[in-house]
Amino acid sequence: RAAATRGATVPGEVTANIDKLANGLAAYSSHGGALPLVALALGDYDTATSSTDASVAITAFVGAKRLPGPLGPASASAAPTLKVTTAAPPPPPLALAWAALPPSPPPFLVLSSGHGEVSFALAVDFVPFDLFEEPVSRGLRVERVIRRHDAGLDGPVGPPLASVPLGAIVTVTVQLSSVDVLHNLLVDAWLPAGLEAVDPNADGGLGASRSSRGGGGVVPLYAAWGSGCWWWRCTAFSRETRPDRVTFSASWVSAGTHSVSFEAVAVTRGSFVLPPVKASCSLEPEILGLSASGRLAVVDPAAAAAPLPPPPPACDPACSER
């Protein structure tokens, strides 16, 4: 209940763990029926921590170097870097290139003064400099395959492709694997310039009646019971089709392997870079995965699609990878 966060009316052990209690209530807010009680409880939490009229001055350092850019000058003796108050809108994020930090970055230090509570988040966004021929896994493995689309079966058939005839329709399948439960997962399936994604919401779009193949859709109650999960804890992806990529997002992803797919049309002849598919957690960008990159050719309509060559045989451990 809302009164549970009022330090004056609860036992001391609850008062000592009020941060954990508030975080638990915030996580529970995904259940719509409890949302009013959660809002009341978090309001009481703000009162207990003097955050209803917070005024906090923040100064951030990397070692002895003060963070540059919009946060202020590089002098450690200057005024506070940032002033945060309840009445003012949140400050814009500060993005720094890794090269802008000192070599072998020292510890990150945040100094604050004032009253109330504010949140300060630090994240690293991984942008690859080179294209990788093998998947990159940082807590999440991502694999992608492009196959010919069969209209009769309404799905992919045949081997993975290295070239596609102009005008042909292909199915792009992305497989995601994780040993842990993930939250706020975002998948960016970038397209080579020769392909254009088919929007299932457009008139006559492929798969308009199969939203589950696009990673989303409503899970029937009987299906949730039969699969051993309740509807609020079944993984469901929502999809957005863009000119250069297709994005999938899910607020909760169970541990294990999941796949999403979409159709695309070969619209331009040529040989194109096949950019990697990137998947990451929005609030934990250090958890990410990149699929292998490569090339995809769009050939004349009369030409046959060419499969990818088989992978090289595994090296015998006795050869020491020579």
Side-chain angles (χ1 to χ4, degrees):
R1 294 299 188 268
T5 58
R6 293 175 181 163
T9 60
V10 296
E13 64 271 14
V14 176
T15 305
N17 292 281
I18 195 169
D19 291 343
K20 295 181 180 179
L21 178 59
N23 290 334
L25 288 170
Y28 190 70
S29 64
S30 59
H31 302 280
L35 193 56
L37 293 177
V38 171
L40 289 172
L42 292 179
D44 284 347
Y45 172 76
D46 286 341
T47 302
T49 57
S50 302
S51 296
T52 54
D53 60 344
S55 179
V56 181
I58 298 173
T59 306
F61 295 89
V62 176
K65 180 178 180 180
R66 187 174 176 183
L67 287 183
L71 290 183
S75 171
S77 61
T81 297
L82 188 63
K83 187 71 175 291
V84 181
T85 64
T86 302
L94 169 65
L96 294 174
W98 188 260
L101 300 176
S104 301
F108 183 77
L109 177 65
V110 178
L111 304 179
S112 64
S113 61
H115 65 274
E117 181 178 290
V118 297
S119 297
F120 195 95
L122 181 66
V124 177
D125 188 14
F126 176 71
V127 179
F129 179 77
D130 293 316
L131 296 176
F132 300 100
E133 296 182 355
E134 296 292 334
V136 175
S137 300
R138 300 290 186 269
L140 180 61
R141 183 172 179 85
V142 182
E143 298 171 285
R144 176 203 33 221
V145 64
I146 299 176
R147 301 167 66 194
R148 182 172 64 86
H149 178 79
D150 188 296
L153 298 175
D154 195 17
V157 294
L161 300 177
S163 69
V164 180
L166 184 67
I169 300 176
V170 297
T171 297
V172 181
T173 302
V174 178
Q175 180 174 280
L176 311 163
S177 303
S178 173
V179 298
D180 298 313
V181 172
L182 302 175
H183 297 274
N184 302 302
L185 181 65
L186 178 64
V187 182
D188 281 320
W190 295 89
L191 290 165
L195 295 184
E196 182 176 318
V198 177
D199 191 343
N201 296 318
D203 186 20
L206 295 172
S209 62
R210 295 186 61 189
S211 61
S212 61
R213 188 180 62 217
V218 177
V219 179
L221 188 57
Y222 65 84
W225 285 340
S227 63
C229 65
W230 294 96
W231 64 269
W232 61 80
R233 272 298 176 256
C234 286
T235 301
F237 289 87
S238 60
R239 169 181 170 174
E240 182 178 354
T241 305
R242 303 184 181 185
D244 55 355
R245 65 190 185 277
V246 176
T247 62
F248 297 92
S249 59
S251 59
W252 184 88
V253 179
S254 62
T257 300
H258 306 270
S259 64
V260 293
S261 62
F262 61 93
E263 279 70 51
V265 183
V267 295
T268 306
R269 285 192 200 91
S271 178
F272 304 98
V273 172
L274 187 60
V277 175
K278 179 182 177 182
S280 63
C281 297
S282 299
L283 300 181
E284 299 173 285
E286 65 275 11
I287 300 177
L288 66 88
L290 297 173
S291 71
S293 59
R295 300 196 70 88
L296 181 73
V298 177
V299 297
D300 290 333
L308 281 174
C315 182
D316 186 346
C319 74
S320 302
E321 299 184 355
R322 291 193 297 270

